Amino acid sequence: MTLDPTTTLSTSRPAPMARRILAHGFYETRNVLRNGEQLLVSLILPLLVLVGLQRMHTVTDVVPDINVIVPGVLALAVMASAFTGQGIATGFERQYGVLAYLSTTPLGPTGLILGKAVAVLCVAVVQTLVLGIAGLALGWSPQPAGLALLGVIVVLGCCAFTALGLLIAGTVRAEATLAATNVLWVLMGAAGGSVLPLNHDGAGVLLLLLPSASLGEALRAASLDGSFAVVPVLVLIIWAVAAVLAARRWFSWR
């Protein structure tokens, strides 16, 4: 067949990078919100913890009031979606060869990681809205000046714990990732300073160096006082940078 030299052949080209990243991020967000197990860990369990601790506060002074509980439960929810949820999902995608396949598409490794970050942020928005509305219904009264700062810290927490989750998912088998991220999430929530404040006296102050404690402290400072907790935020940034560098060094796509 002879082609007219004036004829222009159309070629299929990939969408712009930003559009590819957003499309993948929204796809993963839908998967999370449709997945009953992930929805249970990311939203239902934090809601149950919120309501349970508030009810316990009415019968004992050991549990702090709702103004302390809400930012702590928000930290727990961020860890659930960014650390446990993304870690487990990525671990099984890696084991089944999905990551290696997607990294060869126009999305590429960088687009894949950024798409996952978009998904975590989208889920965090849903978590913040649902837990915030539930907290307000239970009597939460945050400092208005600290709400914007609270949002910034949530984003920083998503970055740090997503990097930690991907580090585990990219270095051990999927079954080990499943066990490790779930156990660590429970430990960080129960005794890691995320939900309830830690004792700042004695050797226990070293626990404030945990990423869970730094996230919880920063969110409580923003919510209770409208203040910027410099040291906890710096600790969280150090964890985020260290996890990203470690993941870049040891993450395996297969």
Side-chain angles (χ1 to χ4, degrees), residues 14-247:
M17 176 61 84
R19 189 183 301 174
R20 282 177 268 159
I21 292 171
L22 289 176
H24 185 69
F26 294 151
Y27 167 76
E28 291 221 0
T29 301
R30 290 192 298 270
N31 282 346
V32 171
L33 297 179
R34 291 172 180 172
N35 187 306
E37 183 179 349
Q38 289 201 40
L39 199 60
L40 172 68
V41 175
S42 299
L43 196 58
I44 305 302
L45 287 181
L47 267 175
L48 292 176
V49 172
L50 175 64
V51 175
L53 288 178
Q54 194 275 336
R55 296 297 297 272
M56 289 178 63
H57 172 71
T58 62
V59 298
T60 176
D61 293 334
V62 176
V63 178
D65 66 18
I66 192 67
N67 289 313
V68 177
I69 294 171
V70 171
V73 171
L74 182 57
L76 181 71
V78 168
M79 293 190 302
S81 58
F83 179 69
T84 306
Q86 274 301 322
I88 293 173
T90 304
F92 280 99
E93 287 173 354
R94 172 175 170 249
Q95 180 167 303
Y96 296 147
V98 175
L99 285 185
Y101 171 75
L102 288 176
S103 66
T104 64
T105 67
L107 185 64
T110 301
L112 179 61
I113 298 301
L114 291 177
K116 288 182 175 294
V118 168
V120 170
L121 291 176
C122 289
V123 173
V125 169
V126 175
Q127 291 173 312
T128 302
L129 289 175
V130 172
L131 293 174
I133 292 171
L136 291 172
L138 294 172
W140 179 44
S141 55
Q143 287 292 326
L147 291 179
L149 182 57
L150 187 143
V152 172
I153 295 169
V154 165
V155 172
L156 179 58
C158 287
C159 295
F161 281 97
T162 299
L164 288 168
L166 293 180
L167 173 61
I168 295 176
T171 52
V172 301
R173 290 183 58 83
E175 294 80 7
T177 299
L178 174 66
T181 53
N182 276 311
V183 170
L184 288 172
W185 179 66
V186 171
L187 291 176
M188 288 188 293
S194 58
V195 178
L196 299 176
L198 293 172
N199 189 348
H200 291 208
D201 299 325
V205 74
L206 294 177
L207 293 176
L208 295 174
L209 297 177
L210 293 172
S212 53
S214 59
L215 178 59
E217 291 289 319
L219 289 175
R220 280 186 286 272
S223 175
L224 292 170
D225 308 319
S227 61
F228 182 75
V230 177
V231 174
V233 169
L234 286 177
V235 171
L236 197 58
I237 290 174
I238 290 171
W239 275 100
V241 172
V244 168
L245 293 176

